[in-house]
PDB file of all heavy atoms in Angstrom:
ATOM      1  N   LEU A  46     141.065 -39.309 114.128  1.00  0.00           N
ATOM      2  CA  LEU A  46     141.039 -38.761 112.791  1.00  0.00           C
ATOM      3  C   LEU A  46     140.918 -39.703 111.653  1.00  0.00           C
ATOM      4  O   LEU A  46     141.538 -40.748 111.746  1.00  0.00           O
ATOM      5  CB  LEU A  46     142.183 -37.696 112.629  1.00  0.00           C
ATOM      6  CG  LEU A  46     142.338 -36.682 113.724  1.00  0.00           C
ATOM      7  CD1 LEU A  46     143.567 -35.898 113.540  1.00  0.00           C
ATOM      8  CD2 LEU A  46     141.065 -35.792 113.828  1.00  0.00           C
ATOM      9  N   THR A  47     140.107 -39.314 110.579  1.00  0.00           N
ATOM     10  CA  THR A  47     140.049 -40.171 109.473  1.00  0.00           C
ATOM     11  C   THR A  47     140.381 -39.294 108.189  1.00  0.00           C
ATOM     12  O   THR A  47     139.989 -38.160 108.087  1.00  0.00           O
ATOM     13  CB  THR A  47     138.744 -40.761 109.378  1.00  0.00           C
ATOM     14  OG1 THR A  47     137.671 -39.796 109.313  1.00  0.00           O
ATOM     15  CG2 THR A  47     138.481 -41.717 110.557  1.00  0.00           C
ATOM     16  N   VAL A  48     140.852 -40.017 107.126  1.00  0.00           N
ATOM     17  CA  VAL A  48     141.040 -39.335 105.911  1.00  0.00           C
ATOM     18  C   VAL A  48     139.685 -38.967 105.305  1.00  0.00           C
ATOM     19  O   VAL A  48     138.751 -39.763 105.420  1.00  0.00           O
ATOM     20  CB  VAL A  48     141.910 -40.211 104.962  1.00  0.00           C
ATOM     21  CG1 VAL A  48     141.817 -39.739 103.524  1.00  0.00           C
ATOM     22  CG2 VAL A  48     143.234 -40.491 105.380  1.00  0.00           C
ATOM     23  N   GLY A  49     139.606 -37.744 104.855  1.00  0.00           N
ATOM     24  CA  GLY A  49     138.337 -37.269 104.410  1.00  0.00           C
ATOM     25  C   GLY A  49     137.415 -36.520 105.445  1.00  0.00           C
ATOM     26  O   GLY A  49     136.495 -35.811 105.053  1.00  0.00           O
ATOM     27  N   GLN A  50     137.904 -36.517 106.724  1.00  0.00           N
ATOM     28  CA  GLN A  50     137.185 -35.869 107.737  1.00  0.00           C
ATOM     29  C   GLN A  50     137.381 -34.267 107.542  1.00  0.00           C
ATOM     30  O   GLN A  50     138.476 -33.850 107.240  1.00  0.00           O
ATOM     31  CB  GLN A  50     137.753 -36.184 109.094  1.00  0.00           C
ATOM     32  CG  GLN A  50     137.117 -35.691 110.264  1.00  0.00           C
ATOM     33  CD  GLN A  50     137.627 -36.223 111.578  1.00  0.00           C
ATOM     34  OE1 GLN A  50     138.540 -37.099 111.560  1.00  0.00           O
ATOM     35  NE2 GLN A  50     137.060 -35.660 112.730  1.00  0.00           N
ATOM     36  N   ARG A  51     136.306 -33.550 107.500  1.00  0.00           N
ATOM     37  CA  ARG A  51     136.264 -32.164 107.249  1.00  0.00           C
ATOM     38  C   ARG A  51     135.887 -31.367 108.504  1.00  0.00           C
ATOM     39  O   ARG A  51     135.169 -31.712 109.401  1.00  0.00           O
ATOM     40  CB  ARG A  51     135.139 -31.846 106.297  1.00  0.00           C
ATOM     41  CG  ARG A  51     135.611 -32.047 104.856  1.00  0.00           C
ATOM     42  CD  ARG A  51     134.622 -31.341 103.990  1.00  0.00           C
ATOM     43  NE  ARG A  51     135.186 -31.567 102.593  1.00  0.00           N
ATOM     44  CZ  ARG A  51     134.784 -30.779 101.577  1.00  0.00           C
ATOM     45  NH1 ARG A  51     133.837 -29.776 101.851  1.00  0.00           N
ATOM     46  NH2 ARG A  51     135.359 -30.909 100.352  1.00  0.00           N
ATOM     47  N   PHE A  52     136.554 -30.160 108.579  1.00  0.00           N
ATOM     48  CA  PHE A  52     136.374 -29.246 109.675  1.00  0.00           C
ATOM     49  C   PHE A  52     135.943 -27.919 109.038  1.00  0.00           C
ATOM     50  O   PHE A  52     136.705 -27.189 108.441  1.00  0.00           O
ATOM     51  CB  PHE A  52     137.644 -29.046 110.494  1.00  0.00           C
ATOM     52  CG  PHE A  52     137.979 -30.269 111.185  1.00  0.00           C
ATOM     53  CD1 PHE A  52     138.836 -31.180 110.541  1.00  0.00           C
ATOM     54  CD2 PHE A  52     137.736 -30.439 112.458  1.00  0.00           C
ATOM     55  CE1 PHE A  52     139.243 -32.318 111.130  1.00  0.00           C
ATOM     56  CE2 PHE A  52     138.060 -31.555 113.210  1.00  0.00           C
ATOM     57  CZ  PHE A  52     138.839 -32.544 112.516  1.00  0.00           C
ATOM     58  N   PRO A  53     134.578 -27.489 108.989  1.00  0.00           N
ATOM     59  CA  PRO A  53     134.113 -26.349 108.290  1.00  0.00           C
ATOM     60  C   PRO A  53     134.576 -25.070 109.104  1.00  0.00           C
ATOM     61  O   PRO A  53     134.613 -25.050 110.347  1.00  0.00           O
ATOM     62  CB  PRO A  53     132.625 -26.529 108.351  1.00  0.00           C
ATOM     63  CG  PRO A  53     132.307 -27.420 109.458  1.00  0.00           C
ATOM     64  CD  PRO A  53     133.550 -28.341 109.631  1.00  0.00           C
ATOM     65  N   PHE A  54     134.755 -23.991 108.332  1.00  0.00           N
ATOM     66  CA  PHE A  54     135.232 -22.726 108.916  1.00  0.00           C
ATOM     67  C   PHE A  54     133.948 -21.800 109.008  1.00  0.00           C
ATOM     68  O   PHE A  54     133.051 -21.957 108.051  1.00  0.00           O
ATOM     69  CB  PHE A  54     136.155 -22.014 107.970  1.00  0.00           C
ATOM     70  CG  PHE A  54     137.552 -22.733 107.849  1.00  0.00           C
ATOM     71  CD1 PHE A  54     138.300 -22.451 106.824  1.00  0.00           C
ATOM     72  CD2 PHE A  54     137.969 -23.743 108.764  1.00  0.00           C
ATOM     73  CE1 PHE A  54     139.520 -23.029 106.543  1.00  0.00           C
ATOM     74  CE2 PHE A  54     139.134 -24.315 108.605  1.00  0.00           C
ATOM     75  CZ  PHE A  54     140.036 -24.026 107.535  1.00  0.00           C
ATOM     76  N   ARG A  55     134.001 -21.070 109.938  1.00  0.00           N
ATOM     77  CA  ARG A  55     132.840 -19.947 110.040  1.00  0.00           C
ATOM     78  C   ARG A  55     133.157 -18.908 109.061  1.00  0.00           C
ATOM     79  O   ARG A  55     134.135 -18.917 108.444  1.00  0.00           O
ATOM     80  CB  ARG A  55     132.927 -19.387 111.530  1.00  0.00           C
ATOM     81  CG  ARG A  55     134.099 -18.424 111.788  1.00  0.00           C
ATOM     82  CD  ARG A  55     133.843 -17.710 113.113  1.00  0.00           C
ATOM     83  NE  ARG A  55     135.050 -17.046 113.486  1.00  0.00           N
ATOM     84  CZ  ARG A  55     135.302 -15.690 113.198  1.00  0.00           C
ATOM     85  NH1 ARG A  55     134.491 -14.980 112.466  1.00  0.00           N
ATOM     86  NH2 ARG A  55     136.477 -15.127 113.551  1.00  0.00           N
ATOM     87  N   GLY A  56     132.104 -17.972 108.857  1.00  0.00           N
ATOM     88  CA  GLY A  56     132.412 -16.914 108.062  1.00  0.00           C
ATOM     89  C   GLY A  56     133.181 -15.879 108.774  1.00  0.00           C
ATOM     90  O   GLY A  56     133.031 -15.585 109.910  1.00  0.00           O
ATOM     91  N   TYR A  57     134.064 -15.114 107.968  1.00  0.00           N
ATOM     92  CA  TYR A  57     134.872 -14.096 108.521  1.00  0.00           C
ATOM     93  C   TYR A  57     134.780 -12.860 107.564  1.00  0.00           C
ATOM     94  O   TYR A  57     135.363 -12.874 106.483  1.00  0.00           O
ATOM     95  CB  TYR A  57     136.383 -14.561 108.627  1.00  0.00           C
ATOM     96  CG  TYR A  57     137.258 -13.516 109.253  1.00  0.00           C
ATOM     97  CD1 TYR A  57     137.649 -13.568 110.602  1.00  0.00           C
ATOM     98  CD2 TYR A  57     137.765 -12.472 108.521  1.00  0.00           C
ATOM     99  CE1 TYR A  57     138.338 -12.666 111.200  1.00  0.00           C
ATOM    100  CE2 TYR A  57     138.596 -11.464 109.053  1.00  0.00           C
ATOM    101  CZ  TYR A  57     138.868 -11.567 110.485  1.00  0.00           C
ATOM    102  OH  TYR A  57     139.580 -10.663 111.015  1.00  0.00           O
TER     103      TYR A  57
END
Side-chain angles (χ1 to χ4, degrees):
L46 302 174
T47 58
V48 172
Q50 186 173 359
R51 279 191 173 202
F52 297 86
F54 298 159
R55 70 173 172 93
Y57 184 94

